[in-house]
Every structure is written in structure tokens, then in C-alpha cells.
Amino acid sequence: MSELLEGGTAGLADRAAALAAGDVTSRELVQRSLDAIDGVGAQLGAFRRVRHEAALAEADAADAALARGERAPLLGVPIAVKDDTDVAGETTPFGCVGDFPVVEQDAEVVRRLRVAGAVIVGKTTTPEFGQWPFTEGPGFGVTRNPWNTDHTPGGSSGGSAAAVAAGLVPAALGSDGAGSVRIPAAWTGLVGVKPQRGRVSTWPDAEAFNGLTCNGPLARTVQDAALLLDAATGNHPRERHRPPAPAESFAAAAAREPGRLRIALSTAVPFSGPPARLDPRVREQVERLGAVLEGLGHEVTPADPRYGLVGLSFVPRSTAGVREWAGRVPDPARLDHRTRENARTGALLGGPLLWLARRAEALLRLQLGAVFRAHDVVLAPTTAQPPPAIGAIDGLSNWQTDKRMIAACPYSWPWNVVGWPGVNVPAGLVDGLPIGATLLGPACSEGRLLGLAAQLQEVERWHERRPPVFAAV
């Protein structure tokens, strides 16, 4: 096995290249990943389901394909997917308690990952229906941050983020309906991509949470995130949202210089009901990144998107989505009381108000998009605070939970309403815990954002940092 793989610094692209060159077998990589999940990973609780036998069988099949001379972008590489995603032969409890039926067919995104050759080692944890930026719940317990296990890795893709940050897998798939890829990426020191709505399939759902939620990658490097995004990109013919194909692969975009860009540095908090205040330590790091970008030749000026009352469009869509998912669980009475309350709200708002919320999206795009008349990219905090302690929402009412959640994470959700892309990049450490900044763009601007993120990575070298809980696999 190569020195790179032995040192535990190999990413997704490195492992794919080592497999294609015959330097390592898929069985070796998958077994090491499984051992790390059972060992170091036990401290973190990142996985809801580990596919020991199935993953090794898939690895053997990948090794046979490699021996025949077959090649695919991720052939034989172990990755993980979130527990809201169907994997044939597994259940999809989406963070809930109960006896869920075994799924017979892969989700479209999993099918595409298999076509690319990936080996699915397991399904990662998420809070009920992905509602909170804290990955905790009675269905699986607590998921911990590898930088400090007394703190949350964020959510709702917290299991995927913890698994990648700790080196259990080189990359993982998450989903993002209000920041659920970008928030845990920020709080675990990763690159997290919320792509354009519809870029990555949500099938068997024609759309997820009324268009708010999309699937996206988490990885330690921009290049690995782009590679996974390329493999995952595509749609089922019956999906509602099907954006135009990108002009080039995302891997190519990440490898290309972005050119001189006009960047709006924004720290304004979108209005979302309960008050939120940006921690000055987070502000300092985001402004520092702005200075780095300026040093790279970009024009960086203070400017804020016109958020207005975008939250009025978000709530009907999100709560109606919770109501829909609540109808899929075997025993709704076992759901968290806050989930049941959100489902009831969704029932009240899911008629004419949901229709109006969706109709308002075109106006909101004009309103938010005004910032791109004078700027190419917006740089904003991903969260207002560093990662909270484990148990931060235990025993709270729904309103208290919303206040705690919004105080920590008020920034990400407007881009879910309009469906546009955003990329979290690590911004530094506060008290030894990672925080992030998000690069935001208009419709279908993933390539530009990835190129800019890759340019930042060359200077910041965040992929070279390792948390205290780390498995060198």
C-alpha cells in the first residue's frame, strides 16, 4: 500500500487513483474503513447502520472489475450516505424510532454512485427528518464532534460530517434543507456543497421538502467534494427540478482559476423571528477570509443581500415536508413532541399558504438576486456561533428549540428557498472548534464557487488539519 494511503492523508481522488493503479485493493480500503467505524468511530456515533458484509461483497466485486480492466471514477472507494437516503436492503428511518420496512431499490443518487463504482459502507446519523442542526435523538443516541466530543458536529448531516472529519470515510453524502450540509461542514472543518436545486437527484421523491432540500457532498478537500458531486449529479425522468447540465465537470471547475471576482462580504442576519447575534470571534474569522480573498486579487466589498421576509416562504414548505414524512413512519406517536407539533403546523399551512409560498419564490429570487448585479459571489458566515455543547436542545419546547437553533444557525436557509448553490469552506478555529464561511452564488454557479473555494484551500491548507479523534485509514 502506498505511503500516502498508509499515512491516512489520502482523499477520495487519491484512493480512486491508487485503486486504478493496483496499489491497493478495494477490500483492503473497505475493511480499514469498517474497522475504523467500529473502533475510533464508536466514540462518535456517526453511523446508524454499518454494512459490514454487504460492503465487503461490493468491494470484492469492485476488485474483480478492476482486475478485468474496468474503470469508473470511484471504483472500489468506500463512502457513506445519510440515513434519509434509500439503499437497497436497508431501512430508511430518517433519524426516527420504529420498525421500518427494508427498501427494495436504491435511491437514484445511490444508483448513480454505484455506477461510478462507490462502495457504500453505511448510513450516517441524522436527527428526526433532519429538522435540527444538532444530530441527537432516541433513534440512535448522540453523534459527537471529532474536534471535541463534548460538542455537536452540527446537523442534520452530522453523522456524515463526523465520519469524514474523523477519517472513517474519505467523503460522504448529506442533504441540505436549511443548511444541513453546510452547517456540519462548518463545525467539523470540512468542505460542504449545497448544489443547485435538482442538480443531485432526490428520487424516489419528485422533490424533497417542497423543493427546499437537496443532496450534496462533504469532504476534506474541494477536489474530493467536486469529484463526489460529479458522480452524484443527475436526475430521474420524473423529478420536478432538472437544471441545465453544467458546462464542464465540477472537478474541472475546481481545478481552474476562477479569475478576478467581485465578492460581497456580508454579515447581516436574515430575519427569522427570534433574534440572532453574530459571535465576534466568528465575524473576525470570516472577515479574515475576506482579506485573504482580497490578497488573491479579488475585489471584496461590504454588501448584504436583501433578505426581506424570506422566512415567510420557508416555514410552510418545511413544516409541510415534516407532515409528509410523519405520514411515512410506522408509529407517529413515537416521534419527538417537537416533530409532531411541526407536522401539525404543516397540516395548517400546507394548503393555500404553501401554494403562496411557492408562488413567492420568483419574487424572492429577484430580491435576493439583486446583490449579483454588482457582485459575483457573496461571502457570509455559515453559522453565528461555534459548535454548541451536546444536549443543547434536550428537554426544550418547540419554541425554545427554534430560538436556540436560530441563534446558532440563522444564515443558511434563504438559499434553500431560492434553490441556489452554496459552498462552506473552513474559516478557522474558535476555542479549538472549527467554524466556517459560505460562498454563495446565483443559479447554477457551482463551478465558480468550487474554483474560488479551491483557490482559498491552496492558501488556507485546511485539509492538512486533523481533529483529536481521527482514524488514519
Side-chain angles (χ1 to χ4, degrees):
M1 197 176 297
S2 71
E3 290 182 9
L4 182 64
L5 293 175
E6 286 288 356
T9 58
L12 197 67
D14 297 322
R15 296 180 202 215
L19 283 160
D23 294 337
V24 67
T25 67
S26 179
R27 175 169 268 269
E28 287 174 316
L29 288 184
V30 170
Q31 186 64 66
R32 291 181 67 165
S33 182
L34 293 171
D35 290 345
I37 293 167
D38 294 339
V40 169
Q43 301 177 52
L44 303 176
F47 280 82
R48 180 72 185 262
R49 166 77 172 139
V50 184
R51 306 178 70 240
H52 293 92
E53 293 182 6
L56 288 172
E58 292 174 16
D60 289 340
D63 284 330
L66 287 162
R68 293 192 298 269
E70 296 179 22
R71 295 294 180 265
L74 301 178
L75 186 53
V77 182
I79 67 165
V81 300
K82 188 177 175 180
D83 196 31
D84 61 347
T85 306
D86 287 350
V87 175
E90 308 293 344
T91 60
T92 308
F94 203 170
C96 300
V97 178
D99 296 322
F100 286 75
V102 171
V103 174
E104 295 182 0
Q105 265 191 320
D106 287 331
E108 175 66 13
V109 65
V110 173
R111 186 191 71 79
R112 289 179 179 271
L113 292 175
R114 291 195 193 280
V115 169
V119 175
I120 313 297
V121 296
K123 302 188 71 180
T124 57
T125 51
T126 174
E128 282 187 5
F129 304 155
Q131 296 169 92
W132 305 298
F134 311 90
T135 302
E136 304 165 30
F140 55 89
V142 170
T143 302
R144 300 179 181 276
N145 195 319
W147 289 87
N148 184 331
T149 54
D150 291 332
H151 290 257
T152 182
S156 64
S157 304
S160 287
V164 176
L168 309 181
V169 288
L173 194 70
S175 61
D176 190 313
S180 286
V181 162
R182 292 161 288 160
I183 291 165
W187 283 348
T188 58
L190 300 177
V191 175
V193 182
K194 175 214 172 298
Q196 175 69 27
R197 177 187 296 154
R199 181 72 68 205
V200 178
S201 176
T202 58
W203 190 263
D205 291 317
E207 63 174 2
F209 283 81
N210 300 294
L212 294 178
T213 296
C214 59
N215 294 314
L218 295 108
R220 287 197 295 273
T221 69
V222 176
Q223 292 76 14
D224 283 351
L227 179 59
L228 185 56
L229 183 56
D230 278 327
T233 289
N235 303 103
H236 187 279
R238 290 165 60 191
E239 285 186 78
R240 182 166 182 168
H241 306 286
R242 304 183 68 183
E248 61 182 338
S249 74
F250 295 119
R256 182 170 45 79
E257 287 291 316
R260 188 173 188 268
L261 299 174
R262 301 165 301 166
I263 300 172
L265 175 59
S266 172
T267 57
V269 176
F271 176 76
S272 50
R277 184 182 72 88
L278 178 61
D279 187 306
R281 299 169 298 175
V282 177
R283 178 191 295 272
E284 180 182 358
Q285 293 287 7
V286 174
E287 290 177 345
R288 182 190 65 79
L289 276 190
V292 171
L293 288 167
E294 200 165 35
L296 288 168
H298 302 290
E299 178 187 338
V300 180
T301 54
D304 297 314
R306 291 168 47 207
Y307 292 111
L309 299 178
V310 65
L312 296 179
S313 177
F314 177 84
V315 174
R317 295 166 77 166
S318 64
T319 57
V322 172
R323 182 197 178 201
E324 179 187 352
W325 267 95
R328 303 181 187 184
V329 302
D331 186 0
R334 300 180 71 182
L335 292 170
D336 188 287
H337 70 91
R338 293 164 290 193
T339 301
R340 297 196 302 271
E341 187 171 333
N342 286 337
R344 287 192 293 270
T345 301
L348 293 172
L349 302 182
L353 283 179
L354 176 59
W355 181 83
L356 286 172
R358 300 195 68 134
R359 293 280 292 179
E361 188 176 309
L363 179 60
L364 291 170
R365 284 190 185 134
L366 288 173
Q367 178 180 297
L368 281 171
V371 73
F372 295 115
R373 294 175 193 158
H375 302 90
D376 304 302
V377 175
V378 173
L379 171 68
T382 303
T383 68
Q385 298 174 8
I390 293 293
I393 61 170
D394 285 358
L396 299 184
S397 69
N398 209 33
W399 176 240
Q400 290 170 326
T401 300
D402 286 348
K403 288 198 295 183
R404 184 71 57 88
M405 176 172 64
I406 290 168
C409 305
Y411 283 103
S412 295
W413 54 271
W415 249 244
N416 294 85
V417 172
V418 293
W420 294 343
V423 177
N424 175 79
V425 293
L429 301 176
V430 171
D431 295 333
L433 287 162
I435 57 168
T438 300
L439 303 171
L440 299 165
C444 301
S445 60
E446 296 103 317
R448 175 184 295 164
L449 300 179
L450 288 166
L452 184 59
Q455 190 180 45
L456 260 179
Q457 178 182 288
E458 283 299 303
V459 176
E460 293 288 292
R461 311 301 294 175
W462 58 65
H463 55 293
E464 296 174 354
R465 297 194 290 261
R466 295 289 182 268
V469 179
F470 185 76
V473 299

